Structures are given as structure tokens and as C-alpha cells.
Amino acid sequence: MALYAARVFVLGKVQDVSFRSFTKKNADLLGLNGFVKNTSDGRVEALIEGDKDQIETLIEAMRIGPDGASVRRVDIEWQPYSPVFNDFKVIY
């Protein structure tokens, strides 16, 4: 298992469409840790820790998003794994 961390920014119609709860649900199913939150500029930001393949699976789901979302761009910054989280949280 290759452990990584990824900081992900999702741009588009991603706020007020349950994007954060969608991301948390999928992260929990994949056994990933980290957080997801809205940013003041209208994006969604996530920091995801865990197995690289599982992170990539979550990012692919985030490229689509929940019903009502319209994702225009996903920016990913891969980072060294340094476990900070022991679960996946939605930050409000």
C-alpha cells in the first residue's frame, strides 16, 4: 500500500449542492482520512490522506460530484504522507 496525501481544489458549482457530504461519504467508504470544506472564493478544498489508489478513486468521484454539482476543474497537489487525521471530517 502506497500512502500519500493530496490537497484538492474543486472549481465550479460545488457549494450548496451537498458536495462536502458527498465527498465525506465516499472518503469514508474508501477508508480515507482528512477533511473537506468550502472556501471563501467558491471552491471546495479537501486534504485527503491514505492509499494512493483510493485517493485517486475519490478524486475521480469528485470530478463528477453529487446531483446538482457542475465541476469545471479539479486541481491536485500531491504531498508526502504525514498522518495528521484519523478520520474524515467536514469543516463548516
Side-chain angles (χ1 to χ4, degrees), residues 26-46:
N26 282 280
D28 288 345
L29 289 171
L30 293 165
L32 298 168
N33 297 330
F35 70 82
V36 63
K37 68 178 185 176
N38 288 341
T39 64
S40 60
D41 63 3
R43 298 179 296 170
V44 165
E45 175 185 3

Side-chain angles (χ1 to χ4, degrees), residues 8-74:
V8 180
F9 290 93
V10 184
L11 179 66
K13 183 182 177 199
V14 293
Q15 292 191 5
D16 299 319
V17 293
S18 300
F19 203 97
R20 291 174 297 172
S21 61
F22 168 86
T23 302
K24 179 181 173 21
K25 176 183 170 189
N26 282 280
D28 288 345
L29 289 171
L30 293 165
L32 298 168
N33 297 330
F35 70 82
V36 63
K37 68 178 185 176
N38 288 341
T39 64
S40 60
D41 63 3
R43 298 179 296 170
V44 165
E45 175 185 3
L47 178 63
I48 310 162
E49 298 175 340
D51 178 72
K52 187 174 185 184
D53 291 340
Q54 300 298 73
I55 293 173
E56 289 175 337
T57 298
L58 178 58
I59 292 170
E60 286 308 308
M62 293 171 76
R63 290 184 190 281
I64 299 165
D67 290 341
S70 177
V71 176
R72 289 200 334 249
R73 191 173 84 220
V74 176

